[in-house]
Amino acid sequence: MPAIVESLKKLNPTHMWKNPVMFVTEVGAAVTSVDFFMTHDSRLFVAQITLWLWFTVIFANFAEAMAEGRGKAQADTLRKSRTKSIGRKLTPDGSIVQVAAESLRKGDIFVVTANELIAADGEIIEGAASVNESAITGESAPVIREAGGDRSAVTGGTTVLSDEIKVRVPPIPARASWTG
């Protein structure tokens, strides 16, 4: 229901201007709507064209609103998992302590095993694991992440499906924080 309301709000030409193809389609729908009331010849044809153009515009807006809604829901889920997750921080003496994910700082090393959430963004420094990144990418297939190379970055809020990895929180964040 919220997507329907949003799709109708997006009919505003100032919003449609951002998408030139749909803007031209909306202008065409408006022009044929006016033509429907002005013409007396072939009214059925003009009505069909008008309906198809308006249907195209509204359906495209609805699809866009649905995608935005899904994206916002995934971001909310990630935010909640990040604030509720626990990291198993490796201390300098080699012991492991459980800490809140938000307390991890640059340079900290934490351990993640199978079926655990990755507490923070970081680089794998030891081990390899299969990681479910569907919350971020939408891709259902897990990916392999391993120490060294270009596949060593992991994202907080994703889940390790197998094995164990040690992750270092990078000194400079790779991206802006999504915790709000």
Side-chain angles (χ1 to χ4, degrees), residues 53-125:
L53 287 173
W54 280 118
F55 174 78
T56 302
V57 171
I58 291 171
F59 182 77
N61 286 346
F62 178 73
E64 182 182 351
M66 288 290 290
E68 286 174 359
R70 257 189 244 120
K72 288 176 184 177
Q74 284 180 333
D76 288 343
T77 301
L78 282 174
R79 262 188 232 103
K80 288 176 186 170
S81 72
R82 170 109 183 207
T83 58
K84 294 177 184 175
S85 64
I86 301 293
R88 295 187 306 133
K89 183 178 172 182
L90 191 62
T91 62
D93 67 0
S95 63
I96 296 176
V97 242
Q98 287 192 350
V99 297
E102 58 270 7
S103 71
L104 290 169
R105 300 290 175 243
K106 62 182 178 182
D108 285 348
I109 297 172
F110 60 97
V111 179
V112 189
T113 57
N115 299 317
E116 291 181 347
L117 282 176
I118 297 174
D121 293 356
E123 293 289 323
I124 298 174
I125 58 169

Side-chain angles (χ1 to χ4, degrees), residues 138-159:
E139 178 63 42
S140 60
V143 295
I144 303 297
R145 299 289 183 206
E146 59 189 347
D150 59 346
R151 304 297 288 168
S152 64
V154 291
T155 304
T158 59
T159 307

Side-chain angles (χ1 to χ4, degrees), residues 10-13 15-34 46 48-61 64:
K10 291 176 184 283
L11 290 174
N12 184 341
H15 174 77
M16 294 299 285
W17 180 255
K18 297 174 188 171
N19 183 344
V21 172
M22 291 313 299
F23 179 73
V24 168
T25 307
E26 184 179 39
V27 168
V31 167
T32 58
S33 295
V34 170
V46 174
Q48 289 175 351
I49 297 299
T50 302
L51 289 174
W52 276 113
L53 287 173
W54 280 118
F55 174 78
T56 302
V57 171
I58 291 171
F59 182 77
N61 286 346
E64 182 182 351

